[in-house]
Amino acid sequence: MMENPLIRFLAAYGPMPDGNNMYDEFIVAAAEKAGLAALHIPENHSKRIIEDLSAETPISTILTGTAGDGKTYTARQVLDELSGGSRAWSNTESIVTISYKGRTIHFVKDMSELSDSEKATIIPNLIDACTAPAGTGDLYVICVNDGHLLKTWRDHAGGGPRAEKVLEIFQVLLKDDRETQKDYQFRLVNMSRRSHANTLDEIIDAICEHESWAACPSDCPGLDPAMLCPILVNRDEFRKKGQATLRDRLKSLIEIAAADDEHLSIRQIMILVVNALLGDSTSIYVTPLLDCNRARIRAQNDERAETNPFNNIFGENHPLSRRQGYAAFATLARFGIGYETNNHFDDGLLAPHDTDGLPDHPIYGNRIFARARDDYTENPVTGIDDLRKELVSQRRRLFFTTADVSISGDREKAPWLLTIHQHGDMFTNLLRPEDARDAGTHRRTRSRLIKGLNRALTGAFTETNDKFWLTQPSGVYRGVDVPLLVGQPIGWKGSPYHLALVAPDVPGRPPRFELVSGTNRLVSLAITPTLFEYLLRVADGALPTSFSSQCFQDIRNFQIRCVGAIERLMAEHDNEIEYVAVETGEEKLALRSIGVIEEAE
Amino acid sequence: MTITAITLRNDHARGQGPDMWVQEAIFGHRYVEEQKAFMLVLEVLAIARVMQVDDRGKPHEDLRVFQHHRDGDGHENFGIPLVRARALRYMLFKDSSLEQIQKNKDIPSDQRLKAWVSKLNEGYKASVKSDPISFDYLIDRFGDRFDDIAQAIRILRGLELDSINKRRWTSRFLAPRGPNLHFSDTDEGFKSDRRFFGRGGEMIYLMLSRSARAEDLGRVLSKQFFTHPDPLDRIAQKLVPPGPADIAGDAPIGYLPLSTHPSYDRMAEDWHAILTLEELPIPQKVEPLFRVTALNLIRYFSERSHEVTGRENIDPMPLDVTFGAKADLRSLSKSYLGRLRQMIDEATETYIRKTLEDKPSWRQALTHADPNARQKLARNTIKESFSFKKADDLAPGGDAERMLDEFVAIAKSRSRNNISTLIEPLGKAAGFIDARQRIGSWFSASDEMLEALVLARVRTPKTITDFLADLYGRYRIVIGPREARLEFKTAPCDISSFEENLRMFEKRLTGLGYVKRLSDDCAFVSNPYCMAKS
């Protein structure tokens, strides 16, 4: 049987029907069986944990987060490093204790695995470790899901004020995205609050540049360029780097989802990549993934549509019920890719000769689409169902492979129109730090956002986009009020306060609007992708309250807090705020002083 | 230390207005259906304003709001002047000549103000028959700056609350942002007919005044509503006539029976909590305040009813947050709303019967040999005990029992101060009662009501579990399965409905921006206007 053992091995990293809690061990076992090195999951926490444990006043580490982010893997790395490779961690041991630099360190692989009596011992000891005076006591490296941490704490901490206090601190740290608390000897690392978009390259390379790709048997017909093994074709697709590639767009999707608080764990991302690589929708209930044999058959019969990675990445090679069980597919499905479209794209697909020409793909473009299109042209009534299905996969391909259109270009051709985040490229630009982003796009995006804000808050179709016109929320219950400007229109610099559009300081968080005074951040508004889309659509003419009332609420809330902050700021400096009426009749907002209070006293 | 409540003597208002004195003795005199939830708060603020702010518009040095003296079982005895604000209200709500003059091209611009003032003088005289006032001061003050005044009027009109409902011009209100923007409800002759300010606000004022937090609350309220400089109040100030503020009259405050009650303290704490939210601007506080006031008032009615009927366990309020989607939950909630109404009616009946039982003249009315004497005794006892004006029409020819039964029925079906009919309109306006055709009404929660609860009860972030436990302990609100298990010995409906209710609760609060879920067991409610700086 001609096969590359790598393929079977990779399939172990794909979607598993039983959910699989013993993931780490399972992978290790699969790797051993295949005789290959386990895939190296990129992680960058172990270094700091080792530093923490080696410091003069060492502190414990609690690794938390949802399943699949590499907690156990990281703990193993640390153990390996500290014990000089001498201490292996077998699958049956839940707790491992070593001695290091005169201190005792306990490693717990997964707190949920411990028995109740074990927990009843460990947790009080952990409380001691966390609350001990600096530099004394045992140390811990514990892996636990955050939900389990909180729930189990109460049950096993044995009561007492220290236990309550530590629990409270956990809650605050988790909520505020912080890791340490003064005077407490631990670091709480939440591995799931960060986006793994940056490690996508490493994950894809770990899979696609694995040394065993060379192990394909040299006489396999799939290696012949005329035959085109689908696995190799898909691998090439993933190997492409640069703009308008599967890799690049996938990264953007992951970033956007993260900014909307949907974090894909490393495991989930691996599932996506492996599934896209090996997916086969010929027999979705039985064999969703290719093996070498089936790959050969597909190649021989030129059955390409079934191995289309642009479809597989959305889980099309699985039945709907199974698909919905995976966070990765569910998250990507929310983008609506394949179902959003416009005339430019659909016309281009249906009548390629008449139109400007969209990018084609040697395998997954016209080659698989032509038949459905021609059948439909001949007989629309019978051909429509198939066409619809094929259109979805073509739109998906186009999303991943069409070049971006600049903010001032013909946005009708922008690939992001094929998703619900029609300004997705502008959003991802906001995520980049100042030295890595396109400044022109950033400036123009900023102006559009201000226009959206101004429209939403004044209720007028204004064109004002250079400054934020913060109006008084009147607090009129069921009334129709006249907008009053609080102070002056707020620009991007100046005193005593100004507005800022700030990139996230941690990957996976959204960018923020901030009202800033000097170096003080007074108020901040998280610009999630949804809110971003809302503001841009309002800037383009949508009515503020009809599109999304939740987004409108967020903005209202921001307005209220800004006014409160300015009132307090001015009161602190004994200054009076000037209030001016806002004229909304013209294209741009105008100031009109309030006559009766303008007069000299 | 628990202070025992004493029922205060009613020396003042008795027998003057109401057709009988029954619900008044139990709950207070009085509450009217026309007084919407937001008007309750306005009435409290109007009273506070006349107490605390002097003629010239400056607050008194010493604290006067909620600081009223009482002796033994005597009731507070102070009068409440009315804020008439005649000139301002006429200009804002009655006059229609402003727009006409603005549009009239024939009037030269430097003559417009004069023209308008002349119309104002005429119009006012025609509308309000007594006490004509002159608007000439506007000319002295503003010369010919008609446009400035027109702008000011437009801005102030924009502050009208509930402007959709066009009430008479003396019953229209502005956002109470400063001393010049409070108005008392009056009839068109500027006398108090208590159509909208039906004393409900007086009741709440007394409750807050008798609460443990009276002084703190009084201070905070005065500072925020009467000393905090507000631009819109400044505008109004420029438009009112010179001289002392237009305040007159001196009607005595209404009657609230109990000297102290846990619901007074609860109400005061909630007021205090909302008013001390530093990051929420003052005008934004009125809405959550009136919602929480209505909720606390309903709890007071419920608790009083239970006390009077002698029931130990206060009924819960199962709150359906699924917008009626869960039929069994909705049904449960509806039945408890019905029970509340029944409980109030029962309290009314119990009060009547107990009061009579203790009267010797009633015992005589039941046992006297002479039937005529029995009838007369019965009638008189009822008339006297309850100041019932129509006692003589009761059950002609009937005996004492018949008269009693008929009187109870009349008391329960009163059109004024009938608390049980008040519950629904109050709850609907405040956002915790929902109603639908062919289904009826039930306890629910609008988004604004959920917000008000978060603003009042959440300071540092707390878990949803803790939040729900607090709502149950404080208001007997049942939303999730945990509280349902605590409250009901046998499950009134499938526990999964409460679980669904809980999920919806979290979903709605998340949509409103108050909840962040971190993982399976970890969702926090936080109050964005109270960010603890960490």
Side-chain angles (χ1 to χ4, degrees):
Chain A
M1 223 264 278
M2 260 190 302
E3 74 160 19
N4 185 339
L6 177 65
I7 305 304
R8 231 179 253 286
F9 166 65
L10 284 179
Y13 285 88
M16 278 295 124
D18 58 358
N20 216 309
N21 289 329
M22 306 281 274
Y23 190 71
D24 179 70
E25 290 77 11
F26 178 79
I27 291 307
V28 169
E32 275 175 16
K33 189 166 158 205
L36 300 169
L39 288 182
H40 173 68
I41 304 173
E43 65 81 23
N44 43 24
H45 291 281
S46 57
K47 185 151 161 283
R48 193 174 52 171
I49 296 174
I50 292 173
E51 278 169 21
D52 280 345
L53 293 170
S54 310
E56 264 208 45
T57 47
I59 56 177
S60 299
T61 296
I62 303 175
L63 285 167
T64 187
T66 45
D69 266 323
K71 297 190 287 298
T72 310
Y73 183 86
T74 300
R76 270 189 204 277
Q77 299 291 93
V78 175
L79 174 61
D80 207 49
E81 179 82 22
L82 292 188
S83 68
S86 63
R87 187 71 171 84
W89 197 343
S90 89
N91 288 344
T92 47
E93 288 174 290
S94 39
I95 308 177
V96 166
T97 304
I98 65 167
S99 193
Y100 179 72
K101 290 197 171 171
R103 303 286 293 275
T104 312
I105 308 182
H106 305 277
F107 289 80
V108 178
K109 209 189 317 156
D110 186 350
M111 197 146 95
S112 62
E113 275 177 16
L114 301 180
S115 69
D116 279 353
S117 57
E118 281 174 313
K119 283 182 201 166
T121 322
I122 283 259
I123 294 180
N125 288 344
L126 182 59
I127 297 178
D128 285 339
C130 294
T131 55
T136 66
D138 288 358
L139 295 164
Y140 284 82
V141 175
I142 294 202
C143 304
V144 59
N145 289 354
D146 49 10
H148 197 83
L149 171 67
L150 298 177
K151 187 158 143 202
T152 230
W153 196 263
R154 275 228 171 85
D155 294 341
H156 299 283
R162 273 190 318 154
E164 268 308 308
K165 185 69 186 155
V166 174
L167 178 62
E168 209 182 280
I169 292 174
F170 285 160
Q171 287 177 337
V172 171
L173 291 181
L174 285 173
K175 189 188 78 67
D176 290 345
D177 265 346
R178 281 172 37 230
E179 293 185 337
T180 54
Q181 180 78 4
K182 192 160 164 300
D183 296 332
Y184 285 83
Q185 316 304 321
F186 71 90
R187 184 189 299 275
L188 180 69
V189 181
N190 189 343
M191 297 180 72
S192 298
R193 295 291 276 171
R194 302 190 168 225
S195 158
H196 299 294
N198 290 336
T199 48
L200 182 65
D201 279 319
E202 292 176 58
I203 295 173
I204 292 177
D205 288 342
I207 295 171
C208 296
E209 304 299 337
H210 197 285
E211 58 189 13
S212 292
W213 285 103
C216 283
S218 50
D219 51 347
C220 174
L223 289 174
D224 180 348
M227 272 288 273
L228 298 168
C229 165
I231 299 176
L232 293 177
V233 167
N234 292 351
R235 179 189 176 219
D236 280 342
E237 203 60 47
F238 266 110
R239 290 170 99 190
K240 288 182 190 162
K241 293 191 186 176
Q243 299 214 353
T245 57
L246 180 53
R247 191 190 281 237
D248 175 64
R249 290 283 148 80
L250 182 58
K251 182 172 177 195
S252 297
L253 293 179
I254 295 174
E255 283 182 313
I256 293 176
D260 238 342
D261 236 0
E262 284 189 37
H263 299 273
L264 291 183
S265 67
I266 291 188
R267 187 197 312 177
Q268 297 288 345
I269 295 176
M270 292 180 100
I271 286 175
L272 271 181
V273 175
V274 168
N275 191 66
L277 191 65
L278 302 178
D280 177 14
S281 43
T282 310
S283 186
I284 60 179
Y285 287 95
V286 188
T287 52
L289 298 181
L290 293 169
D291 62 11
C292 285
N293 211 30
R294 283 193 290 279
R296 262 192 296 276
I297 297 174
R298 299 290 159 264
Q300 264 156 8
N301 301 342
D302 204 29
E303 285 161 348
R304 301 292 168 185
E306 288 76 3
T307 61
N308 186 344
F310 303 111
N311 252 349
N312 293 338
I313 199 151
F314 295 100
E316 288 291 330
N317 56 318
H318 297 275
L320 185 60
S321 54
R322 209 187 288 161
R323 214 184 301 160
Q324 287 168 339
Y326 287 95
F329 298 139
T331 297
L332 288 194
R334 274 190 262 282
F335 284 91
I337 302 176
Y339 302 99
E340 297 284 320
T341 188
N342 66 2
N343 286 338
H344 167 74
F345 288 102
D346 275 10
D347 283 352
L349 284 170
L350 291 172
H353 307 292
D354 297 343
T355 54
D356 280 351
L358 300 169
D360 193 25
H361 191 281
I363 315 289
Y364 298 113
N366 212 33
R367 184 166 168 162
I368 58 174
F369 187 57
R371 192 192 50 82
R373 183 183 56 227
D374 294 339
D375 283 350
Y376 168 74
T377 316
E378 251 193 59
N379 192 342
V381 175
T382 54
I384 184 65
D385 288 331
D386 225 23
L387 181 78
R388 278 212 186 95
K389 193 160 153 276
E390 294 306 319
L391 264 179
V392 168
S393 63
Q394 289 304 309
R395 289 177 194 138
R396 286 172 169 169
R397 170 183 66 84
L398 286 172
F399 168 70
F400 283 106
T401 58
T402 307
D404 268 328
V405 171
S406 86
I407 188 172
S408 44
D410 185 0
R411 288 296 293 183
E412 279 298 295
K413 300 185 177 166
W416 286 92
L417 290 181
L418 293 167
T419 79
I420 58 168
H421 285 292
Q422 300 180 351
H423 303 90
D425 50 339
M426 290 159 61
F427 184 79
T428 50
N429 193 45
L430 288 186
L431 297 175
R432 313 267 169 266
E434 210 171 319
D435 50 5
R437 67 188 178 211
D438 182 319
T441 304
H442 190 263
R443 258 197 325 272
R444 287 203 195 84
T445 306
R446 221 170 51 169
S447 304
R448 299 270 289 273
L449 288 173
I450 292 296
K451 184 162 140 184
L453 264 185
N454 287 337
R455 284 192 174 194
L457 290 181
T458 61
F461 270 115
T462 177
E463 293 298 317
T464 302
N465 63 2
D466 57 336
K467 297 211 175 149
F468 175 36
W469 285 56
L470 176 67
T471 48
Q472 260 277 355
S474 67
V476 182
Y477 171 61
R478 287 206 186 142
V480 183
D481 55 314
V482 172
L484 289 192
L485 189 70
V486 177
Q488 292 294 311
I490 306 174
W492 297 105
K493 49 176 171 252
S495 54
Y497 47 83
H498 62 267
L499 200 59
L501 178 55
V502 178
D505 26 48
V506 165
R509 314 302 294 124
R512 298 185 306 274
F513 264 129
E514 286 178 355
L515 184 69
V516 175
S517 171
T519 49
N520 287 334
R521 182 178 66 184
L522 300 176
V523 184
S524 103
L525 172 67
I527 306 178
T528 59
T530 309
L531 184 62
F532 181 77
E533 198 58 38
Y534 169 80
L535 283 172
L536 290 184
R537 293 205 199 181
V538 168
D540 284 343
L543 292 179
T545 47
S546 69
F547 176 44
S548 164
S549 69
Q550 181 180 334
C551 289
F552 184 62
Q553 283 286 76
D554 286 342
I555 291 172
R556 260 300 196 195
N557 175 294
F558 176 62
Q559 175 194 27
I560 290 174
R561 284 182 295 134
C562 282
V563 172
I566 291 174
E567 280 179 357
R568 277 195 308 283
L569 183 70
M570 298 308 242
E572 258 171 50
H573 297 112
D574 266 332
N575 283 334
E576 261 204 40
I577 308 181
E578 236 186 275
Y579 291 91
V580 189
V582 175
E583 294 291 321
T584 58
E586 301 296 311
E587 208 180 62
K588 298 223 169 173
L589 299 171
L591 300 173
R592 175 137 172 250
S593 56
I594 302 175
V596 300
I597 53 181
E598 277 285 293
E599 60 169 13
E601 292 292 318
Chain B
M1 175 188 80
T2 41
I3 308 171
T4 322
I6 44 178
T7 304
L8 303 178
R9 269 188 350 256
N10 171 31
D11 297 328
H12 310 287
R14 195 168 195 155
Q16 280 178 0
D19 51 342
M20 63 175 78
W21 192 263
V22 177
Q23 282 88 339
E24 289 77 355
I26 306 171
F27 304 106
H29 175 66
R30 61 174 150 85
Y31 312 88
V32 306
E33 206 173 306
E34 289 77 7
Q35 184 159 18
K36 303 224 173 151
F38 75 92
M39 295 176 190
L40 288 170
V41 170
L42 289 182
E43 190 175 6
V44 174
L45 293 177
I47 299 173
R49 186 242 177 273
V50 298
M51 292 294 131
Q52 191 65 31
V53 182
D54 68 17
D55 271 355
R56 299 158 305 137
K58 300 270 167 290
H60 293 288
E61 281 286 326
D62 54 321
L63 179 68
R64 300 191 187 184
V65 178
F66 304 138
Q67 311 298 303
H68 299 279
H69 186 60
R70 234 180 20 77
D71 268 322
D73 67 343
H75 195 282
E76 295 89 338
N77 182 18
F78 58 94
I80 308 165
L82 284 180
V83 181
R84 295 188 301 182
R86 292 169 295 166
L88 185 59
R89 284 207 263 193
Y90 184 80
M91 285 188 284
L92 292 178
F93 301 133
K94 183 71 173 165
D95 169 64
S96 53
S97 57
L98 183 70
E99 286 74 24
Q100 287 170 12
I101 293 180
Q102 265 183 319
K103 293 198 186 113
N104 190 341
K105 303 281 185 248
D106 296 333
I107 310 178
S109 58
D110 60 347
Q111 295 301 307
R112 286 184 174 198
L113 186 51
K114 283 212 186 70
W116 187 48
V117 167
S118 154
K119 285 275 184 198
L120 286 175
N121 287 334
E122 269 173 43
Y124 186 89
K125 197 156 143 208
S127 289
V128 184
K129 305 292 190 273
S130 59
D131 290 338
I133 61 180
S134 162
F135 290 86
D136 293 346
Y137 67 91
L138 290 172
I139 302 175
D140 296 335
R141 203 177 280 173
F142 294 106
D144 60 0
R145 290 159 54 200
F146 177 71
D147 286 338
D148 285 349
I149 298 203
Q151 179 200 45
I153 298 278
R154 212 182 80 221
I155 291 175
L156 288 180
R157 279 181 183 159
L159 290 182
E160 185 183 356
L161 301 178
D162 198 24
S163 54
I164 295 176
N165 289 310
K166 296 270 174 261
R167 284 176 279 274
R168 62 187 178 183
W169 65 282
T170 49
S171 298
R172 290 165 73 167
F173 307 102
L174 300 180
R177 301 173 59 133
N180 292 289
L181 297 170
H182 295 281
F183 303 147
S184 299
D185 171 45
T186 68
D187 65 11
E188 298 191 22
F190 290 98
K191 297 278 180 294
S192 169
D193 64 353
R194 304 206 176 282
R195 186 185 298 181
F196 296 102
F197 277 15
R199 291 195 195 267
E202 291 178 21
M203 296 297 97
I204 294 175
Y205 184 91
L206 286 172
M207 288 184 196
L208 297 175
S209 190
R210 294 180 192 169
S211 74
R213 297 212 82 152
E215 196 176 321
D216 275 343
L217 186 58
R219 256 183 240 295
V220 162
L221 194 153
S222 297
K223 182 146 173 264
Q224 304 210 345
F225 286 99
F226 307 136
T227 56
H228 185 93
D230 183 278
L232 291 149
D233 188 62
R234 250 169 77 208
I235 296 176
Q237 203 179 33
K238 297 287 176 190
L239 294 180
V240 297
D246 186 5
I247 296 180
D250 210 14
I253 188 117
Y255 171 75
L256 183 68
L258 292 186
S259 61
T260 176
H261 195 269
S263 61
Y264 302 169
D265 297 318
R266 206 183 301 135
M267 173 108 64
E269 273 160 33
D270 286 350
W271 271 61
H272 191 264
I274 291 177
L275 288 181
T276 50
L277 284 177
E278 279 185 7
E279 301 185 33
L280 186 63
I282 295 161
Q284 257 54 49
K285 293 177 176 166
V286 174
E287 250 199 71
L289 211 52
F290 81 67
R291 294 181 197 281
V292 136
T293 301
L295 178 63
N296 276 293
L297 197 56
I298 301 272
R299 297 311 307 158
Y300 165 71
F301 292 149
S302 175
E303 285 166 20
R304 279 299 290 145
S305 311
H306 283 81
E307 283 157 23
V308 167
T309 54
R311 283 198 217 289
E312 285 268 335
N313 295 321
I314 314 277
D315 274 344
M317 260 174 81
L319 221 62
D320 164 37
V321 296
T322 67
F323 297 116
K326 276 271 157 208
D328 52 355
L329 195 54
R330 193 185 69 212
S331 194
L332 176 70
S333 177
K334 177 176 170 190
S335 69
Y336 272 93
L337 178 54
R339 269 175 77 132
L340 176 57
R341 283 192 288 252
Q342 276 167 23
M343 186 68 57
I344 294 171
D345 283 341
E346 213 184 289
T348 305
E349 180 159 351
T350 308
Y351 173 77
I352 293 173
R353 289 185 189 277
K354 277 227 177 86
T355 308
L356 289 177
E357 266 168 30
D358 292 340
K359 301 245 159 157
S361 55
W362 186 256
R363 282 197 285 277
Q364 279 194 318
L366 292 172
T367 55
H368 200 280
D370 174 16
N372 279 336
R374 283 205 302 275
Q375 264 199 30
K376 208 154 158 244
L377 277 166
R379 246 183 251 292
N380 284 340
T381 313
I382 291 182
K383 184 186 229 159
E384 207 192 76
S385 308
F386 307 109
S387 305
F388 183 41
K389 301 194 167 73
K390 300 228 175 101
D392 295 328
D393 300 333
L394 276 179
D399 62 357
E401 287 292 347
R402 275 267 301 279
M403 275 186 227
L404 173 54
D405 287 343
E406 197 175 307
F407 178 59
V408 165
I410 295 176
K412 284 187 189 175
S413 57
R414 281 171 88 176
S415 57
R416 293 288 257 175
N417 208 17
N418 188 348
I419 308 292
S420 63
T421 57
L422 265 191
I423 306 286
E424 204 170 304
L426 197 58
K428 278 187 192 163
F432 57 86
I433 291 181
D434 205 353
R436 221 171 282 169
Q437 273 193 6
R438 284 192 288 276
I439 294 181
S441 322
W442 69 98
F443 286 124
S444 65
S446 68
D447 283 350
E448 294 81 6
M449 186 67 215
L450 291 180
E451 282 184 340
L453 288 173
V454 173
L455 293 180
R457 296 306 302 157
V458 176
R459 273 291 183 276
T460 54
K462 48 167 92 158
T463 59
I464 290 202
T465 315
D466 288 345
F467 184 45
L468 287 176
D470 177 67
L471 293 181
Y472 177 60
R474 195 173 177 76
Y475 309 109
R476 317 281 305 170
I477 286 176
V478 174
I479 291 178
R482 194 169 159 274
E483 286 73 34
R485 286 197 187 95
L486 286 173
E487 174 64 37
F488 304 113
K489 299 288 170 282
T490 47
C493 62
D494 201 82
I495 209 77
S496 66
S497 298
F498 286 105
E499 282 163 7
E500 179 60 29
N501 208 27
L502 173 58
R503 269 194 290 277
M504 234 348 218
F505 182 67
E506 182 184 328
K507 184 159 169 228
R508 287 179 63 187
L509 283 180
T510 308
L512 292 167
Y514 291 111
V515 159
K516 197 156 93 167
R517 167 163 281 279
L518 291 178
S519 79
D520 311 322
D521 272 295
C522 177
F524 287 100
V525 190
S526 52
N527 182 340
Y529 301 106
C530 178
M531 297 300 218
K533 317 253 178 278
S534 45

